[in-house]
Amino acid sequence: MSIASVTSTTGVNGATTSAKAGQGWGAMGAEDFVKLLTTQLQNQDPTEPVDNTQMLAQLAQFSSLSNLNDIKDSLSGTGQQADTLAAISTKLDTLNSTVAKLLASQPTTSQA
């Protein structure tokens, strides 16, 4: 099943939907989730309100997803930092060997 791209339109109670709908779930953030949640609460059937356990489960899932995205971003930054540290280490090894060669080539002076 594919999701067609949606442009900005006016929905229930004048709420405006964004073009993010055509980008898939990955483009949604915390603000979008809160908008969906408040719209769901505003439009629920008063005789059969949403089950609290379902709502809490949705909030917990969103919180977990948000935390996992933060961890993913942190780990991707760590990989880049590791590459940079490896390059610095290589440069320092080269510099150390160059300094050692220069020191070895210097004549030694004896003090009396």
Side-chain angles (χ1 to χ4, degrees):
M1 177 171 97
S2 65
I3 299 175
S5 178
V6 177
T7 58
S8 180
T9 59
T10 303
V12 179
N13 296 330
T16 303
T17 58
S18 74
K20 288 183 181 178
Q23 298 175 3
W25 294 109
M28 295 184 71
E31 184 177 321
D32 297 312
F33 178 77
V34 171
K35 285 180 186 177
L36 285 171
L37 181 63
T38 55
T39 303
Q40 179 182 4
L41 290 174
Q42 289 172 350
N43 296 304
Q44 69 179 337
D45 182 4
T47 60
E48 291 184 36
V50 174
D51 184 17
N52 288 337
T53 56
Q54 289 178 352
M55 190 172 295
L56 287 174
Q58 290 174 357
L59 288 171
Q61 287 173 347
F62 186 77
S63 177
S64 296
L65 179 62
S66 178
N67 289 337
L68 287 173
N69 282 333
D70 290 344
I71 291 170
K72 179 190 73 144
D73 293 341
S74 177
L75 289 176
S76 70
T78 304
Q80 292 171 351
Q81 291 172 354
D83 292 343
T84 302
L85 288 174
I88 290 171
S89 175
T90 302
K91 297 289 182 183
L92 285 175
D93 288 342
T94 304
L95 181 63
N96 283 339
S97 71
T98 303
V99 168
K101 288 177 186 176
L102 286 172
L103 290 175
S105 68
Q106 295 292 321
T108 57
T109 58
S110 60
Q111 295 180 351

